[in-house]
Amino acid sequence: MTKKNICIVVGARPNFMKVAPLLRAVRKSGEADSQLVYTGRADDPTLEPTLFDDLEMPLPNACLGVDSQRLNEITSRVMAEFDSYLDSHPCDVVIVVDDLASTMAAAIVTKKRGIRLAHLVAGTRSFDISMPKEINRLVIDALSDYLFTAGMKSNSVATREQGVTSQTYLVGNILMDSLRYNRTRFRQPSLAGLDLTTQPYLVLTLNRKALLSDTVRLRQLLDVLAACGLPVVAPVRGEAGTFMHKHYATRPSMHIVDPLSYLEFGWLTMHAKGIVTDSGNVAEEATFNGVPCITLNSYTEHQETVSQGTNVLIGGDAEKLRAALGTLLAGQWKSGALPDRWDGRTSERIVQILLNT
């Protein structure tokens, strides 16, 4: 029997955590082969040298080399490069991940070539059409032959918009596959001046461009955080790192550190007293670990982290942050539960669907 050839396309560092278990599941099935394509550069500085060893996954089969901040340029260049890649690397199905411009570009090329398309983490919506990622989500889901959703809300959205329920599959949250696989491998980071095993601490991550560009609001939020009474560990890079080093390096409660490896960051967040973040992935991991999480955004793609998990949304409101921190430090945070199908078997379900349809 001829093996099915599955091409998996990723566009940014967080995508690798979602495809590592998928690659393992393909290999374990024995009935399919996989190709891993990264749309960025092979020497991308956001991909630390230990990442692939930490995730126990192979290096990409190909890197398309697209490196730009302009969304339309990313789209056009990824389309050209991925189209060229497929000329010499045929496949039966392409899996694209999340909602980046590069994801949308690969999806368009796939459908123009008549190849079946699967969207991993489909059906997520902000319902704000002014957001570029919302446009990407709408296009990718509309083109996809397989919509793999992580929760009931996204499953309902995908089913309603697609109109063909057989194309929508509630497979669960694949990020939990990586967490379950790696949590016993997490490594405690060594941070100068801070004993993580005896002292409660908070973790801060910042990445969202809309928040980083509003420096007045950002400083209000960080001032509240710096005065909360606990050490704050902030593994930040790029624009966020530059801003925090400039304005908060002398604040004794703020420990601004270089980005950590996947296994070190997993340990740090799993043992934190609480997390303040603008990342949906970090909020999902916090729910899995039962750690209180405050999200600096007014919406989340994964509503189950709020309705069932440990996450709360405060937008960019400094007073809401102050109140949420007060609740957290008083030991009055809500209890959380694991949402449906966060069982570590999402990748297995996806592979079986692709092999049997």
Coordinates of all heavy atoms in Angstrom, one line a residue, residues 71 101 226:
L71 N 3.1 42.4 5.8 CA 2.2 41.2 5.7 C 2.0 40.8 4.2 O 2.0 39.7 3.9 CB 0.9 41.5 6.4 CG 1.0 41.7 7.9 CD1 -0.4 41.9 8.5 CD2 1.7 40.5 8.6
A101 N 0.1 35.3 8.2 CA 0.0 35.6 6.8 C 0.7 34.5 6.0 O 0.2 34.1 4.9 CB 0.8 36.9 6.5
A226 N 5.0 45.8 38.7 CA 6.2 46.0 39.4 C 6.0 46.3 40.9 O 6.9 46.1 41.7 CB 7.0 47.2 38.8

